[in-house]
Each structure stands twice: as C-alpha cells, then as structure tokens.
Amino acid sequence: MHTDGKPFVFACPGAGAKVHRLRRQREVLAAKLQQLDKLLAGGEAPGLRARSEFLKTEIALVSARQGHLNRALAWAGARWLVDQALANQASVIYAEDLRTMESRGLGKLTNTRCSNAVRSELLKALRHLAKKVGIAVVTVPARGTSALCPRCLKALHHCPAPDRQGENGHKWSWCRH
Ligand SMILES: [Zn+2]
C-alpha cells in the first residue's frame, strides 16, 4: 500500500456545519421550552400553553432533520470506507465495538465528532455495503485494537506518520517485524 502518510479521514465540511447548526437550533429551542414550562408551572397564562406546544413541534421537526442528516452521513461514510477497502484490496474491515469505545483515550474527541446513533447506523451501512462486494466486517473491542500487528501478532509501534517512525504518536501503527 502506498500512502503519503496522512490518515484516511472521511470529511463532509458542508454537512458538518449543518449538523452543528441543527444541534445549536435544538439547544436554543429546548432552553426556551424549559423556561416556558417553568412559567406554566407557576400558573396558566393566555398563549403560554400554545407557545409550549408550538416549541415541542419545532423540536420534533429539528430532531427529524437531525436524524435524516445523520443517516445520510453514515451511509455516505460507509460507502467511502468500502471504496477505500476495495481500492486497497482489503478482504476484512475491522470496526471498533461501540460498547467499548467510551473507555478509550481518544473517546472524548471521537464522541464529539460522531454520536452513538451515527456510529450504529454507520456499522449497519458498512455491513450492508461491504457484504455486496464480498468484504467481511468484524467488530473488535476498542481497547487494544492497535496494540498488536494483525499479521504477526507482535507488538506494534505507534508513530505520527510512516516517514516519522522514530517519533511517538497514535495516528499510525507500524510493525517492525
Ligand atoms: Zn507484523
């Protein structure tokens, strides 16, 4: 495999901004609803109930939009990943098990980029698309995934890039054997 040392990253800048905008929109609506509910708890006032119902409908609409966008992103990401695997003549795609992901050092960063819902949709899409082209998808515990060489099972060295093997980093795993 020939590479320039950059990790493969699936990026959709436009969609990423939209994901952020929708999340922000929902937060603002939820905060408004919370205030209204407080007011309603203090007693009914004309228009408050209707306003509260309206906000609930708005929140449901934004949620639906979020779900739709997340699913579209997950499928586009899975398509991209299967294409990478095909281009590199891989026969297996290893995916980190969702349940063990949180405990990892990189968990926080990964979590803010990709929610649990998106991850499980991604895995579903990955399984579906990979099966069509004869590539197996195997889930493995996140912890220790990159500790051992998948070919010879000896300990891997981690470095920032293939041409910087003397340095320590987590982006690339390198088998010295
Ligand atoms: Zn090896």
Side-chain angles (χ1 to χ4, degrees), residues 113-162:
R113 283 184 184 161
C114 188
S115 75
N116 267 322
V118 178
R119 275 192 228 139
S120 55
E121 186 70 23
L122 176 69
L123 196 61
K124 192 177 111 188
L126 200 54
R127 286 215 163 97
H128 181 86
L129 296 172
K131 198 179 171 187
K132 277 193 188 168
V133 290
I135 294 176
V137 176
V138 178
T139 46
V140 290
R143 199 173 274 274
T145 303
S146 51
L148 301 176
C149 168
R151 216 169 266 175
C152 69
L153 293 178
K154 283 179 181 155
L156 285 171
H157 169 67
H158 299 276
C159 55

Side-chain angles (χ1 to χ4, degrees), residues 18-34 55-56 58-67 70:
K18 202 173 170 188
V19 165
H20 186 76
R21 206 161 54 237
L22 286 172
R23 191 186 298 146
R24 184 83 200 108
Q25 214 178 334
R26 198 164 116 171
E27 278 167 5
V28 169
L29 288 171
K32 277 187 189 166
L33 183 65
Q34 210 183 357
L55 279 176
K56 277 177 196 153
E58 283 287 288
I59 290 171
L61 274 174
V62 173
S63 297
R65 246 177 252 146
Q66 280 180 310
N70 282 344

